[in-house]
Amino acid sequence: ACFESLVLPKLPNKHRCRYKERMLEDPNFANKVMAKRFRQLVTTFDDRTVHDESGELHQMVANASLLIGLHADGATEAIVDAALEFSKPFVVVPCCVF
């Protein structure tokens, strides 16, 4: 719903029309695309969890194309360190000074 209300109206008309056609063909089209392209892992992000080679976080960081920290608070430094170590581009958007 967020995509349809905020992003879709700003796209060029040809992309809006194509999106609407795909949604008529398959009402779950947008959810399928999002699930295929993006994955969120809710866990502690610190040096220990990033370096645990058997852990899911380590694999996700290693395979990521971009690391994003939104309101990351105490994980901010670990995100930057992991991005540098794994040679990944990153962005950290703080919520406040901590």
Side-chain angles (χ1 to χ4, degrees), residues 60-82:
M60 288 184 76
V61 171
N63 295 321
S65 55
L66 171 69
L67 298 182
I68 302 172
L70 300 174
H71 303 272
D73 296 330
T76 299
E77 188 173 345
I79 293 169
V80 173
D81 290 345

Side-chain angles (χ1 to χ4, degrees), residues 3-5 8-30:
F3 176 82
E4 292 174 350
S5 64
L8 190 60
K10 295 181 170 111
L11 293 177
N13 192 42
K14 67 179 182 178
H15 296 297
R16 283 195 310 268
C17 290
R18 181 67 182 134
Y19 174 80
K20 289 175 184 177
E21 288 171 7
R22 304 277 304 264
M23 287 298 286
L24 288 174
E25 293 169 11
D26 180 1
N28 291 318
F29 164 73

Side-chain angles (χ1 to χ4, degrees), residues 43-47 49-51 57 61 67-85 88-98:
T43 188
T44 302
F45 196 112
D46 58 25
D47 289 336
T49 55
V50 170
H51 291 97
L57 179 61
V61 171
L67 298 182
I68 302 172
L70 300 174
H71 303 272
D73 296 330
T76 299
E77 188 173 345
I79 293 169
V80 173
D81 290 345
L84 295 173
E85 181 178 335
K88 303 292 182 179
F90 67 94
V91 61
V92 176
V93 180
C95 63
C96 57
V97 176
F98 58 92

